[in-house]
Amino acid sequence: MFSYLDHSLYCEDVALADIAQRAGTPCYIYSSQMILDNFQAYDEALGDLPHNVCYSVKANSTVGILALLAQAGSGFDIVSGGELFRVLKAGGDPDQVVFSGVGKTAEEIEYALSEEIHSFNCESEAELALIDSLAARRGVRASFSLRVNPDVDAKTHPYISTGLREHKFGIDIHEAETVYERARAFRNLDARGVSCHIGSQLLNTSPILLAVDKVVALAQRLRSAGHGIAHLDFGGGLGVAYQSADQPPEIRGFLDCIRKRVEGRGFTVMVEPGRSIVGPAGVLVTRVLYRKRTAHKEFVVVDAAMNDLIRPALYRSHHDIIPLRKTDRPPITGDVVGPVCETGDFLAHGREMANVAPGDFLAVMTAGAYGFVLSSNYNSRRRPPEILVEGKKWRIIRTRENYEDLVRGETV
Ligand code: LLP
């Protein structure tokens, strides 16, 4: 969906430079078609197996993106009351919402109960007790899954690996049966599922499939013990290509492997993909402000910074950076840096890239997931607008913040 035509970079049928000129930079631009294609790849691969693809809202929670997915029939994986609010605002169906997270507050649980969400993915017995008491107070029943920690190594960046015993997430799979047993005592809870999520940006699916096998086996033992386990939730985590050497698993192939392991056993399959749906569908467009050469290095100073896209600074992650207009000039090697007063404010280090001049536009690729959602107002920078492209048309789904937005809620 992002490709060059006559040396100009396009998103679907729109030249990105046209958007950048009209909407200003920096700005996030998303391809609606690519988001829908990725969602459909999940949905279609699961085919006639009862399933629910619950898009993981944390990857990109802008209401315009959620509305696109809600209209396509997506469910949602949320981790806060704020994400539930966004899903409802976007027209999402609360009965297709699962609530994950290790630290749900009483207020958030009450909100979710009042909206009658599908299920809670619970991470501790203390949390089960709280949901039970809040459900009792309202006179309702709540469905839950235990998020089990299958103790498999996801082999990804340590900050986004979650499935090992030493991590804060989930309940040790070896203790899960005992916890489900004890949970029978909670009179307002129904054990309806088992869930897991072992990590993110997984380029190798063997660890997830190992976790799937462990979860299926556990669910069958739970059923034999009389628990009404109806759904299995395998979380998210499928990786995407941040650079050409990355070979991410193909969505359909991966889901086929899950399908084979679950088919014919009478479970509804749920998945919680985030990055693999929106990541490749978004770019951050920025303008070159200055070229600066020191005795040691070449710097390309751009108008986007770590407050707009923190992934390079936080995880040292690579994002390709390409010009909106190709040039014939020989490439340069340099650091792409923003205006924020931190040495960590970089988008690329020692990168071979286009020989750009001040005023030229660049696209930071694969920025649709964990991009805008992790942005901040650091250095009192206004957060950028977000734009959704649909074929030949584009529209602003979030406006650029203004100076008044920066001080909203503050008093002298
Ligand atoms: N389900 C649960 C319970 C999760 O914790 C996550 C992500 C997902 C689903 C979605 O995973 P995905 O399909 O997007 O990999 N900020 C980091 C990523 C943090 C992921 C946190 N959990 C980054 O920029 O790489």
Side-chain angles (χ1 to χ4, degrees):
M1 299 297 162
F2 293 94
S3 55
Y4 285 101
L5 186 69
D6 291 337
H7 297 288
S8 287
L9 188 62
Y10 275 70
C11 172
E12 300 190 22
D13 302 324
V14 186
L16 289 180
D18 288 349
I19 302 178
Q21 254 139 19
R22 302 236 328 255
T25 53
C27 63
Y28 275 95
I29 302 177
Y30 308 108
S31 159
S32 59
Q33 193 57 54
M34 209 163 167
I35 294 172
L36 292 174
D37 285 352
N38 291 335
F39 169 75
Q40 262 136 26
Y42 274 96
D43 199 32
E44 284 166 19
L46 288 167
D48 51 12
L49 195 67
H51 68 270
N52 200 351
V53 179
C54 293
Y55 166 70
S56 191
V57 174
K58 65 173 80 69
N60 185 322
S61 57
T62 302
V63 172
I65 303 286
L66 300 181
L68 190 70
L69 287 161
Q71 277 155 26
S74 181
F76 296 95
D77 161 49
I78 61 163
V79 289
S80 70
E83 286 190 351
L84 177 56
F85 179 79
R86 287 179 169 280
V87 166
L88 298 173
K89 194 107 188 144
D93 175 6
D95 192 34
Q96 292 191 69
V97 169
V98 290
F99 194 166
S100 304
V102 69
K104 305 173 186 77
T105 66
E107 185 199 357
E108 289 174 318
I109 294 167
E110 278 179 331
Y111 181 26
L113 288 172
S114 73
E115 295 296 341
E116 299 179 21
I117 65 159
H118 184 73
S119 183
F120 291 86
N121 287 345
C122 296
E123 305 217 11
S124 65
E125 289 191 69
E127 182 191 335
L128 287 176
L130 179 59
I131 299 176
D132 181 60
S133 70
L134 296 172
R137 205 189 295 163
R138 299 188 81 84
V140 296
R141 302 189 65 78
S143 296
F144 77 91
S145 298
L146 287 188
R147 171 172 176 185
V148 298
N149 190 330
D151 196 25
V152 298
D153 185 354
K155 298 196 168 59
T156 182
H157 189 289
Y159 285 10
I160 52 178
S161 177
T162 54
L164 283 176
R165 248 184 230 175
E166 63 257 36
H167 295 141
K168 72 176 176 183
F169 299 100
I171 289 175
D172 188 331
I173 193 158
H174 306 292
E175 291 164 24
E177 279 161 278
T178 318
V179 178
Y180 276 100
E181 250 350 279
R182 284 204 288 263
R184 287 184 197 270
F186 294 122
R187 305 250 294 278
N188 304 282
L189 298 186
D190 295 314
R192 296 298 306 283
V194 182
S195 75
C196 74
H197 169 81
I198 64 163
S200 197
Q201 183 52 13
L202 308 181
L203 293 174
N204 172 356
T205 56
S206 325
I208 301 202
L209 295 175
L210 189 61
V212 168
D213 287 335
K214 290 188 177 194
V215 165
V216 171
L218 168 66
Q220 282 177 315
R221 291 197 301 274
L222 289 169
R223 271 191 170 170
S224 308
H227 295 281
I229 303 297
H231 68 252
L232 305 181
D233 178 347
F234 300 119
L238 214 59
V240 300
Y242 282 104
Q243 46 191 320
S244 47
D246 291 342
Q247 293 199 314
E250 204 243 328
I251 295 174
R252 286 171 209 267
F254 168 61
L255 270 286
D256 279 346
C257 295
I258 291 194
R259 221 190 133 98
K260 286 199 191 93
R261 289 168 159 78
V262 182
E263 222 158 26
R265 299 179 196 267
F267 293 113
T268 294
V269 169
M270 307 209 315
V271 281
E272 304 171 353
R275 188 191 319 261
S276 50
I277 289 190
V278 290
V283 298
L284 172 64
V285 172
T286 182
R287 191 164 53 89
V288 178
L289 298 175
Y290 305 102
R291 288 277 298 265
K292 174 171 168 175
R293 184 193 289 276
T294 67
H296 304 285
K297 258 191 182 169
E298 176 86 61
F299 292 98
V300 175
V301 185
V302 298
D303 66 359
M306 66 189 291
N307 74 295
D308 302 301
L309 179 67
I310 203 172
R311 300 194 73 259
L314 191 57
Y315 312 110
R316 296 203 152 256
S317 51
H318 174 108
H319 287 260
D320 280 345
I321 300 179
I322 61 176
L324 295 203
R325 187 144 189 93
K326 272 189 180 168
T327 75
D328 296 330
R329 297 193 293 263
I332 56 162
T333 298
D335 285 10
V336 181
V337 299
V340 163
C341 302
E342 296 255 359
T343 307
D345 180 28
F346 61 89
L347 296 173
H349 271 161
R351 183 70 62 83
E352 183 174 297
M353 61 180 291
N355 191 341
V356 283
D360 287 351
F361 294 122
L362 291 167
V364 184
M365 304 303 287
T366 324
Y370 308 109
F372 187 93
V373 279
L374 279 164
S375 66
S376 76
N377 292 120
Y378 188 40
N379 279 202
S380 282
R381 288 168 53 83
R382 295 162 295 166
R383 287 183 303 167
E386 293 178 283
I387 288 142
L388 189 65
V389 175
E390 293 172 305
K392 291 193 180 72
K393 293 192 286 204
W394 59 275
R395 60 194 166 89
I396 294 175
I397 53 173
R398 177 202 296 266
T399 57
R400 185 184 306 284
E401 288 179 339
N402 58 37
Y403 287 142
E404 284 302 325
D405 291 329
L406 287 182
V407 294
R408 178 151 304 125
E410 295 182 34
T411 46
V412 172

